[in-house]
Amino acid sequence: MNIRTIRTEDNHDIEAIIRQCLIDYGGNRAGLAWEDESLSHLSDYYNHEGRAYWVAFDTNGKMLGGCGIAPFGAPEDQVCELQKMYLIQEARGTGIANELLQIASQFAEQNYRVCYLETLQTMQAANHFYKKHGFRLLESPLAGSEHFACDAWYIRDL
């Protein structure tokens, strides 16, 4: 397996993976990543200071998924958001998510003090994964969230 930062040529494949995951869990609707303007050009969106996106590939070069870190809220709050962490079906439960989260967390620790994320309760395995990795469930989203349809919010100190 290989994990690296996203490149322009990865945009189409990671968008397809994210959209398929959202369809699988009922997330293909307003108020979720489905409608994010940046979804078709994530390499551009994450090509800024304080942001990064990583993609994972199997030994044959097939993209398995990815995840990103970007600032959330006011800069002085030093809060980042774990974003668009999605894997294809056969990559789930293989440890790839652990590796992606570790890389993202190391990046986040260098730039932020807290990591926030939003997801759906229907993504039960993801919710379990986040809790297992030290994220605490919140009762409501942090102010400034664009994804009004999310119904599970987590935070973790870095």
Side-chain angles (χ1 to χ4, degrees):
M1 187 196 45
N2 177 37
I3 297 176
R4 61 164 170 76
T5 54
I6 194 169
R7 299 176 186 157
T8 303
E9 61 265 24
D10 301 323
N11 285 336
H12 179 267
D13 289 344
I14 194 62
E15 178 183 8
I17 290 170
I18 292 169
R19 289 196 184 281
Q20 186 58 57
C21 291
L22 289 168
I23 289 168
D24 292 347
Y25 291 95
N28 53 330
R29 54 192 162 94
L32 298 169
W34 184 266
E35 288 194 333
D36 285 0
E37 187 271 329
S38 63
L39 198 53
S40 62
H41 53 91
L42 289 180
S43 64
D44 294 333
Y45 178 80
Y46 286 99
N47 188 24
H48 296 278
E49 188 175 340
R51 297 180 188 185
Y53 195 90
W54 300 269
V55 284
F57 298 87
D58 69 12
T59 54
N60 297 318
K62 179 181 178 182
M63 186 180 290
L64 304 172
C67 75
I69 293 286
F72 186 93
E76 62 271 14
D77 294 336
Q78 293 184 295
V79 177
C80 68
E81 184 177 17
L82 179 67
Q83 299 179 334
K84 295 173 181 59
M85 185 166 193
Y86 296 99
L87 296 172
I88 60 173
Q89 182 67 41
E90 61 261 32
R92 298 177 198 156
T94 64
I96 294 167
N98 289 327
E99 291 190 44
L100 283 166
L101 181 61
Q102 183 178 0
I103 291 167
S105 295
Q106 289 171 351
F107 174 85
E109 288 168 4
Q110 295 171 15
N111 297 282
Y112 303 97
R113 64 173 184 80
V114 177
C115 187
Y116 172 71
L117 70 89
E118 303 172 320
T119 191
L120 295 171
Q121 291 180 17
T122 56
M123 295 180 170
Q124 294 176 348
N127 282 268
H128 176 75
F129 174 82
Y130 296 132
K131 289 176 186 174
K132 178 181 164 185
H133 288 88
F135 285 89
R136 299 181 314 276
L137 185 63
L138 299 173
E139 292 182 13
S140 60
L142 294 182
S145 172
E146 296 175 3
H147 296 137
F148 60 84
C150 287
D151 59 6
W153 313 275
Y154 291 87
I155 200 157
R156 183 178 87 180
D157 294 330
L158 297 171

